[in-house]
Amino acid sequence: MSQKVLIATEKPFAESARDSMVKMLEGAGLKPVVLERYKDPKDLLSAVADVGAIIVRSDKVDKAVLEAGKMLKLVVRAGAGYDNVDCAEAKARRVIVENTPGQNANAVAELTMGLMIMIARGKYSGKSGTELKGKKLGVHALGNIGKIVASLGRAFGMEVCAFDPFVDQCVFDDCCVGCITKLEDLYSTCDYVSVHIPANPETVKSINYQLISKMKKNATLVNTARAEIINEEELLKIMEDRPDIKYASDIAPKNAGAFAEKFPDRVFFTPKKMGAQTAEANTNAGIAATEQIIAYLREGKVLNQVNP
Ligand code: 3PG
């Protein structure tokens, strides 16, 4: 098995995180190769050719990459969402795909609160704004990120409820949040709705006109999950029809320019996807990914596989 491990990050880890990962791999007798800030996907195709394992972030690991990775046995997505990896194709090629759940959750949750404040305070324009305290926060999915957002919301004095048909009542109880059993009720009763669902065939474009139209007057939708889960055309339309609704995200819509032009005070987008872009999150996720690579290449251990 190839002992080469490729760290391929179009959006690099913090240097300290990357250096620790390289050291750990070398310490385990493996051969790290670093490909950062690549612009052309072809660079990834050549870099993956002779490696046994690869660590990526949101980098696309599609059929072409898997085909080019002739010796590839393991892909570790240093992060939570693995919609950037063609898991079925990997499975067909007997390539294991793993993620590192929860490792960057705090960073995303903190950014979520920051986006809420950004909107509440009129994008720091100096205009009189509003406070989060006393407002109702709806958490759409109570996974690793949603749980922290719920806890931070409570610390801000918000009333917090959540919708998640995939978790037990005890999770709602542990988080001290109200359980909403109908998604529309979450959207119709909350001042802030924060979305934390993955992108998959069931969720893509699922946040649509019909759902957003249910939102409470002056409500804000926050998306630090994936751009794909929003039906962007319909979001634009409902924001035209409902001049009270606001939207903040770290994954700008494709037609972000149209949103910014039409609703300058009601939307905010970060220039880059940056929920997990902290030194701490990079270290947590990067080191967890490296440990998983070492566990597999040295002991044959498979951890956090997402394409069983
Ligand atoms: C994740 O799914 O873990 C987050 O969206 C972070 O993605 P990133 O590593 O591309 O910042």
Side-chain angles (χ1 to χ4, degrees), residues 14 39 61 79 105 130 136 145 152 229 239 261 270 292 298:
K39 294 276 172 273
V61 181
T130 55
K136 193 164 177 183
I145 300 165
L152 294 176
I229 61 177
M239 288 189 75
E261 198 182 308
T270 60
Q292 289 175 208
R298 285 287 163 259

Side-chain angles (χ1 to χ4, degrees), residues 10 35-43 272:
E10 180 276 321
L35 174 71
E36 289 178 337
R37 292 190 181 86
Y38 58 94
K39 294 276 172 273
D40 189 339
K42 281 194 198 120
D43 294 346
K272 226 174 190 227

Side-chain angles (χ1 to χ4, degrees), residues 11 13 56-59 77-83 100 104 108 145 224-226 250 273-277 282:
K11 182 178 63 184
F13 290 112
V56 292
R57 294 186 62 179
S58 289
D59 307 76
R77 194 291 191 229
Y82 46 89
D83 46 302
T100 64
N104 55 21
V108 180
I145 300 165
T224 50
R226 289 288 182 272
D250 74 325
K273 181 182 176 204
M274 57 169 288
Q277 197 65 332
N282 290 172

Side-chain angles (χ1 to χ4, degrees), residues 24 53 101-102 171 208 221 240 284 289 302 306:
M24 282 171 70
V171 178
N208 55 18
L221 180 65
E240 278 166 352
N284 295 341
V302 177
V306 294

